Amino acid sequence: MQRHRVMISAAVVAAVVGFVPTAAQAADQPAERRGSAAAAMDAVTAAAAKSAVFHSPAERTVRTSGKAAAPQAAGAADAAGAKGNAGLAVDLRASATSAHGFSLASQITTTAGAGVKVDIDWGDGKTDTQHVTGAKLLTSKHTFAEVGKHKVTVTLTDQDNNVTATNSVDVQASGSKFTPHAPTRLLDTRSGIGGSNRPVTPYGVARVKVGGNSGIPEDATAVALNLTVVSPRSGGHITAYPSGTDQPTTSNVNFTAGQTVPNMTIVPVGADGYVELVNRSYGDVDLLADVTGYFSRSAGAGGYTALEPTRIVDSRAGQGTWGQVAGQSQFPVQVAGRGAIPYSNVTAVALNVTVTGPRGAGHLTVFPSGQQAPDTSNVNFSANQTIANSVIVPVGPDGQINIRNGAWDPADVVVDVVGYYTPNGGAAYLPVLPTRLHDSREWDWPVAGQDYRWLPLADGKPNNTAYVLNTTVTNTRGSGHLSVAPDPNTWAQYENDTWKPPTAPNSSNLNWTQGATVPNLVQASTGKTGVIDFWNRGWEPADLVVDMFGVYQQN
């Protein structure tokens, strides 16, 4: 096996959160494993898209004989005296192929040898025309510019027999768009919010009502939840998944006994409108679930634009705010017009928010400007802890958000922006069943210190703009943080050994100390090459686990 190694400078300046960018130390990956993550991702994405199938049988075909004849059902007597081809009809079966795409199977029935023109009106102003001779199964593909409902109409024209036959099928694109929601608590097992006022028992399940709750529509396909574990009696993890499906082998929140830990998740919603949370530990645990938005197949909701991680707040450096944020105080953050974010029409932003150097225990709440701080939390911390969490937050009418330190003592705050949502444009979200893409514990070696692991998730898939992943670091031999960012190299460059060492990003997604197991949600941009890097910015090895919950796809 060939090993790729590039030396880095010894002059690396470390900070509590974020290192000065350095060159890659190594990019070793077993050749037989390089495509395993992409293969798993392809399979689960295809399954999610193909779950939507729409059918209009041939019996619904409407025939018209001659210019003055009235429409009549397929196979009916030709009252107008058409010359023949009384059985001209088409059976339509449409299946989704992506967030925006469809494959249409048109089973055409016609008299043997009769030439038929086939016109397909996709219902969005686009048409396709083909010609067939005799009965045939015709397969056509199309990508809609917008998600939502579309009527696809197929018209058969037999000019020799002066007959036309038309059938239509209503389709619903698989992609979903995001609607911000005022931060609202849907579950609190301590107080009975959500229907239970008891802790979740070992390996027990808490059900969270999403569809039809707090203004969320019944047909929501996925939900953005901030999950918080409170006072667990033993170590373990929480797994979130759609109701009505098998429990996956993935994880969302990892914890030790007595720890209060938050983690953001974007989880598909079951057909009955519920999300389920299983407590995979040997002790009772209290759970909180706060909603910040949901996904639906409405074309009026917002699409996502992924960005390379960009730091917009660092109180240690006076960026965004000066000095530590005092306890029980808040500060505004201008997000619209910052960096690549537009000045207007931004409904929500995706952030990674980190607390470092807090002088006491507490929590941060991130919320839109123009309103009072809600009774929810985004990042929970103890004294002197450095901890990060992913946040999706609505943007106020002035383009700002607020960050409140709910502790009684000061703390430093760091914010990296990773994307934004707009009503027009952007990528649609395709939720998938939670799937494990990578586990370095199964590879024989962890990710080395100051090294990275690259996964070619969107190689050859330019329409895939970002992935919703849950990253977990475990078996940590020292302190550090994880940075996730697009790789400038292609998979082909790694394959033929022409890759160039990428520069590590000056951002962080999760932070850890020696011996800790830490998860965090990542909305990872695929960049220009479709390869995503996972950087271990510590000096000691750590194991990396990557679980997938969905993909953003543009048309």
Side-chain angles (χ1 to χ4, degrees), residues 66 72 174 364 377 396 429:
Q72 51 186 279
S174 291
L364 291 185
S377 61
Y429 182 62

Side-chain angles (χ1 to χ4, degrees), residues 491-499:
W491 188 5
Q493 287 176 292
Y494 281 112
E495 290 287 288
N496 60 31
D497 203 20
T498 60
W499 64 283

Side-chain angles (χ1 to χ4, degrees), residues 185-199 207 286-288:
R185 185 147 292 172
L186 300 184
L187 175 72
D188 187 339
T189 58
R190 303 169 304 177
S191 64
I193 295 176
S196 174
N197 58 359
R198 296 181 179 180
R207 285 169 53 82
D286 276 308
L287 290 178
L288 315 179

